[in-house]
Amino acid sequence: MVHADASNFAEGVTKEQAYTHVLLQAEGLFDGQRNWVCNLANAASLLWHAYKSLPHPSSQVNWAGFYTLDPRATLSKPQLILGPFQGKVACQTIAFGRGVCGTAAATQTTQLVPDVEQFPGHIACDGDSRSEIVVPIIAKGGEKAQKLVAIIDIDCAALNGFDEVDKKYLEQLAGLLGKSCDW
């Protein structure tokens, strides 16, 4: 049985060590649990506590969570809907192609944004956010086709809050979520 201590991170860990801990704990939490709401909620908590254990700028993360593919959206107007998260209240829906999240969903590519003010069409759900990383979560659909099911969205109150290390490990987490949930 997984315990709340899974969210505890030792002082002085490196970013790589924190992400490794997140991935290991996530694997344990997802073992035998395929419900996407449950798994995304626990992943959001793990990420939030990991960032808060790290030095600046990671400790300045002010939102960590998920948007999922909105089942009510049409094929001609796909959109994301708010999923489990940690942080301030957030935008409830985001159209594909709009802002950082919508761009990541539409292109199915990670968006690493050092300064959100320089991103065309940025949606300011929280005016304190200065940088952002958004990672698509892809799952196998029918007949082995792959489809976007959700995105990981992390905001930081500092400029240049994310780097290639964040991208690498968040893409690994996205892969784990894509195969560990019944979407």
Side-chain angles (χ1 to χ4, degrees), residues 15 57-58 61 113-114 131-132 156 158-163 166:
K15 189 189 301 190
S58 297
V61 163
V113 182
S131 57
E132 186 170 6
C156 186
L159 291 170
N160 300 300
F162 306 103
D163 58 23
D166 298 287

Side-chain angles (χ1 to χ4, degrees), residues 20 24 26 30 46 55 64 66 71 87 89 92 125-126 132 153 174 176 181:
T20 299
L24 288 172
F30 303 165
L46 286 170
F66 302 88
V89 298
Q92 294 177 341
C125 292
D126 180 350
E132 186 170 6
D153 180 20
L176 179 62
C181 299

Side-chain angles (χ1 to χ4, degrees), residues 61-123:
V61 163
N62 58 332
W63 203 91
F66 302 88
Y67 282 87
T68 63
L69 185 62
D70 187 347
R72 293 186 181 178
T74 64
L75 287 176
S76 63
K77 290 188 178 183
Q79 70 178 13
L80 301 167
I81 190 162
L82 182 63
F85 70 93
Q86 301 281 314
K88 294 180 182 178
V89 298
C91 301
Q92 294 177 341
T93 59
I94 299 173
F96 275 39
R98 188 163 176 253
V100 182
C101 292
T103 299
T107 63
Q108 296 188 15
T109 59
T110 298
Q111 302 295 306
L112 180 59
V113 182
D115 181 353
V116 295
E117 297 298 325
Q118 301 304 311
F119 191 91
H122 172 253
I123 302 167

